[in-house]
Structures are given as structure tokens and as C-alpha cells.
Amino acid sequence: MSTSTKKAQTRFLRRGISKILWSKDLNDPKYPSRREITNAFALTDAVSDIEGWALENDPIETPDMGSTFNSSIPGNDKAENSSLTFYEDRFSDAIEQQLPKGAKGYVILLRKGDLPGSRSVDVFPVQVATRAATYSTGNEAAKFKVDFTITDEPSLDRPVPQAHPRPLPDEDCDDDHGHGHPEGDHVDVTVVSTTKTKTEATVREHDADEG
């Protein structure tokens, strides 16, 4: 009798994990770089509601005389107009400046967060169709809504770029001026003599090329 092992999913709540970014330009929307992800304008913390942001297909029905079943084939892809609703900041208009009516750019969705190597980045080329404040007398925070038109085919399931490692300090010190140091910049310090009665040491400095 064979048994199968069910692998448990790591399920998660999008709030607190997924990230929403805005970039005015990308070199290649299919492969956003680490620099572009880092420099993108972060929208996540101001978003109160999100609608759309999905690629859909308009199927073509293909009924025939041989069956009473109405079959269909894939038709044109489309992306319905999408929107983001933001909390309005009383003293700052940073988001409004980024997203005026007519602005073109890219909405970048990191569905599983900034998880390098994960194929979970969706990039939507967009243009801001409208931006309008919402008004209410109810007990709720002030908001404004931005409607986007999808201007081109979105890039879905793109890889999250790897994070840049921090450069390591140069530990080697050679007579050929080290690694990448300008000539004459590196200085060796040699202790010449010390005495028990004095706490200071006499030192002689010499350039690395005098070795």
C-alpha cells in the first residue's frame, strides 16, 4: 500500500507581506533590477484598497453541429482598468505629486514581498486616468482614489532580483598598492621602539611602495 506525503503550504496574509511600488521608468519591465526595485516609490503603507490588477482572457465560443456543448477557445488577453485607493495625508502631497492625471509609469506588485529569487513580481505598464478625492461625512479617514489604464501587456511572475551583497573591506596590504587603492594612498605604520616608562610609541610611517 503506497502512501503519499502531503507537503504543507506556507500560507500568508497579503497585508504586511505584499508590496506595491511605483516607477516612472524601467529598463526592462520583464526583469526589473535590484536598483530599480530599491529606488521605486513605495506606495504600500498608504494603500487602503486595491481593485483589478489581473490579466484576463476574452474566450471565443466555437459551437458546432456535432455536439450540443458550446466549446470555446482562448481569445484576446485583456487587463481591466485597475485602481488604488490611498489614505490622504493632511500635510504631504508626495503621492499626489507622483500620480497626477496623465502620468505614465509602472505599478510593481511584489506579491510575496521582497523575497529574492521568488518568481512573484507583477509589472503593469499604466497611465493615470483619474485621481480624485473621496468625500464622506462618516467616521472614516480621508482618502483619494487613483484609476489606472493598463497601456501594455503586463509582465507576470517575474523573478525578484537578488539583493546586492555588501562589499567586504580590503584586508590585504601589498607592495603593489593594495587592491584598488590609488598609488601612494596606503600608509604602513611600523613600531620602532617602546619603553616601559612612556606610554607613547615612536613610529615611522612609510609608503607601501618603499617595502
Side-chain angles (χ1 to χ4, degrees):
M1 181 177 180
S2 61
T3 58
S4 60
T5 302
K6 181 180 179 181
K7 185 178 180 180
Q9 286 184 305
T10 304
R11 300 174 184 178
F12 66 99
L13 180 69
R14 289 212 184 278
R15 288 176 58 186
I17 298 294
S18 299
K19 296 184 182 300
I20 306 171
L21 310 175
W22 165 256
S23 178
K24 294 181 179 179
D25 188 36
L26 293 176
N27 184 50
D28 184 352
K30 292 184 177 180
Y31 294 96
S33 68
R34 170 52 56 180
R35 180 182 296 273
E36 289 170 332
I37 292 291
T38 301
N39 293 339
F41 188 83
L43 301 174
T44 313
D45 292 345
V47 173
S48 72
D49 194 18
I50 180 170
E51 297 178 22
W53 309 106
L55 185 64
E56 300 176 357
N57 186 268
D58 190 8
I60 302 170
E61 291 192 359
T62 55
D64 61 74
M65 291 297 293
S67 173
T68 57
F69 177 77
N70 285 338
S71 61
S72 62
I73 60 173
N76 293 324
D77 289 333
K78 61 180 180 179
E80 296 292 347
N81 294 344
S82 303
S83 68
L84 295 172
T85 301
F86 298 93
Y87 290 108
E88 190 167 0
D89 191 309
R90 185 179 180 188
F91 300 106
S92 172
D93 63 352
I95 298 176
E96 291 92 325
Q97 290 293 328
Q98 288 286 328
L99 300 173
K101 179 179 172 60
K104 294 181 179 181
Y106 299 87
V107 170
I108 306 170
L109 303 174
L110 279 69
R111 302 195 314 267
K112 301 180 183 180
D114 193 350
L115 192 64
S118 171
R119 302 184 71 86
S120 56
V121 179
D122 295 340
V123 181
F124 288 82
V126 299
Q127 183 172 10
V128 176
T130 61
R131 192 198 73 214
T134 59
Y135 296 93
S136 171
T137 58
N139 186 31
E140 60 180 288
K143 302 175 184 178
F144 64 92
K145 185 177 181 181
V146 181
D147 289 306
F148 299 86
T149 55
I150 313 301
T151 59
D152 202 349
E153 183 179 359
S155 299
L156 307 179
D157 301 326
R158 307 318 302 163
V160 178
Q162 295 293 330
H164 292 310
R166 291 184 178 181
L168 296 175
D170 224 353
E171 296 181 355
D172 295 333
C173 181
D174 304 288
D175 285 346
D176 56 332
H177 313 299
H179 300 283
H181 291 291
E183 187 172 344
D185 282 357
H186 186 77
V187 176
D188 285 341
V189 179
T190 304
V191 177
V192 177
S193 64
T194 60
T195 64
K196 295 182 179 179
T197 57
K198 293 184 178 181
T199 58
E200 295 182 354
T202 304
V203 298
R204 174 164 52 89
E205 296 184 358
H206 61 81
D207 290 338
D209 57 359
E210 293 179 356

